[in-house]
Amino acid sequence: MASASRISALNQRFEIPGIAAIVEERKGFPSVRVQTPDVTGEVQLYGGQVSSWKPAGAEEVFFVSSKTRWQEGTAIRGGVPICFPWFADRTEGPKSPAHGLVRTKPWRLEAITHADSNVTVALSTSADETTKKVWQGDYHLLFCATFGDQLRLELIVTNRGSLTFKFEEALHSYYRVGNVEKTKVRGLGGCTYVDKTDARKEKHQRGDVTLTGETDRVYRGTSSSVEIEDPVLRRRILVAKEDSRDTVVWNPWTQKAAAMADLGADEWRQFVCVETANVGDHGVTLGEVQAHTMTALISVNSM
Ligand code: TA6
């Protein structure tokens, strides 16, 4: 079905006039655009990826690279990539794409609902013969993004099959900041983390996280909310979570950023990834017809 007729068919089913509609700003990359007096936001059908959220009175909360490739098979650089069923590089099995199978495939739009000045967009993706060749789990994922004065992200994983499987997951959120060198991440003091820039050594976080170079840390066994303090944009982004035991903090800094063709010059300064996750031995095991929901609840306040 040609793009235009596909978009029109989707809008016939899902559009809420004056609230939410499906658009195709980039050919082959339809998205759900939410626009109300209280909030604007956007979710890409590709990867089921939130790419924008702006509560009324606030600036854009997420970073999206100006050099994102927007091509099938390549992840969108920014917003909230969904990592499943493994995080980062796969530790076993055949050579596979980083961060799993689902951020580089189109998701199915299931519903758009509007209640109490919130708009919820629900998308799904499921295992198929292609995915099972790479990873055997018979999974169904439902991702619900509720846009309002807060942003609620829920990733619901269901095991539709008879074989138990264990998965890792992460909402790999790129939060927009004025200058990452002046940003602090609060709430991880006292936590143990794996430092992926230092041979995966286990270290202990003392006080707030400040970034002074490439930073790639998996904070283990923490269910705490974190706060991203941004004195340049004069705001605090609060990330609370449910049923997530790990938090990842990442920024590539100058050298790694220079090698990333899908990141604009100096754009590394404009984001910090604070990722809501369950990774490693905190991966989740699901038996037949079991399900698990991981939730991130994001809010933004001026300083
Ligand atoms: O979440 C941090 C991380 O695993 C880093 O090690 C870095 O690889 C980052 O993800 C980005 O990964 P991507 O595949 O999106 O370039």
Side-chain angles (χ1 to χ4, degrees):
M1 189 189 281
S3 259
S5 50
R6 200 159 57 89
I7 298 300
S8 140
L10 283 170
N11 275 316
Q12 278 169 20
R13 280 189 66 193
F14 297 106
E15 182 179 16
I16 305 176
I19 300 286
I22 295 92
V23 298
E24 191 172 46
E25 199 173 75
R26 294 174 188 84
K27 190 150 181 50
F29 286 84
S31 61
V32 177
R33 184 161 290 163
V34 172
Q35 219 141 12
T36 80
D38 304 305
V39 63
T40 63
E42 189 158 28
V43 192
Q44 305 293 326
L45 271 58
Y46 183 70
Q49 194 155 334
V50 168
S51 52
S52 174
W53 172 54
K54 272 202 309 182
E59 289 196 36
E60 177 56 60
V61 176
F62 293 109
F63 165 86
V64 176
S65 167
S66 61
K67 300 282 188 196
T68 287
R69 294 235 183 88
W70 298 104
Q71 72 187 41
E72 285 284 317
T74 303
I76 297 166
R77 174 74 64 194
V80 185
I82 297 174
C83 306
F84 173 91
W86 61 82
F87 177 74
D89 295 327
R90 194 175 180 185
T91 51
E92 59 193 17
K95 179 93 181 88
S96 310
H99 291 317
L101 299 169
V102 300
R103 65 172 183 164
T104 52
K105 60 187 296 188
W107 288 44
R108 178 189 161 86
L109 181 55
E110 295 286 353
I112 305 176
T113 53
H114 179 222
D116 312 327
S117 72
N118 288 326
V119 179
T120 298
V121 180
L123 304 112
S124 72
T125 189
S126 301
D128 57 26
E129 288 323 304
T130 309
T131 63
K132 287 179 184 171
K133 288 191 182 110
V134 182
W135 192 75
Q136 47 81 20
D138 190 359
Y139 63 83
H140 175 270
L141 269 55
L142 180 67
F143 177 63
C144 299
T146 299
F147 295 87
D149 58 3
Q150 294 184 317
L151 176 65
R152 186 178 186 86
L153 304 177
E154 295 169 289
L155 182 61
I156 303 147
V157 181
T158 303
N159 182 349
R160 294 185 315 184
S162 53
L163 295 176
T164 294
F165 62 66
K166 179 176 181 180
F167 65 91
E168 296 178 303
E169 57 185 344
L171 298 172
H172 193 301
S173 308
Y174 286 70
Y175 293 102
R176 186 168 161 267
V177 295
N179 181 347
V180 71
E181 296 179 279
K182 299 188 182 333
T183 297
K184 284 181 182 167
V185 179
R186 302 210 147 111
L188 296 168
C191 292
T192 300
Y193 65 91
V194 172
D195 187 343
K196 292 169 66 176
T197 67
D198 187 6
R200 304 183 73 88
K201 282 181 190 149
E202 280 224 348
K203 299 181 179 178
H204 191 74
Q205 181 63 40
R206 286 178 175 70
D208 300 338
V209 180
T210 52
L211 294 87
T212 56
E214 182 191 353
T215 304
D216 195 349
R217 304 176 182 181
V218 181
Y219 288 85
R220 312 275 296 126
T222 170
S223 56
S224 303
S225 302
V226 301
E227 185 179 86
I228 301 164
E229 183 179 280
D230 178 355
V232 176
L233 295 182
R234 292 199 305 279
R235 67 182 186 182
R236 291 187 174 92
I237 300 171
L238 184 69
V239 184
K241 59 179 191 173
E242 294 164 13
D243 296 312
S244 153
R245 295 198 284 175
D246 304 304
T247 296
V248 180
V249 177
W250 175 66
N251 183 285
W253 223 255
T254 46
Q255 198 174 346
K256 282 276 173 72
M260 294 163 69
D262 62 350
L263 191 62
D266 262 358
E267 284 189 336
W268 60 272
R269 290 182 198 279
Q270 296 171 28
F271 70 88
V272 60
C273 284
V274 176
E275 304 163 37
T276 304
N278 286 302
V279 299
D281 55 4
H282 292 156
V284 178
T285 300
L286 293 181
E288 192 173 359
V289 303
Q290 287 184 325
H292 176 273
T293 301
M294 179 173 76
T295 303
L297 188 59
I298 303 148
S299 50
V300 56
N301 303 300
S302 50
M303 279 174 70

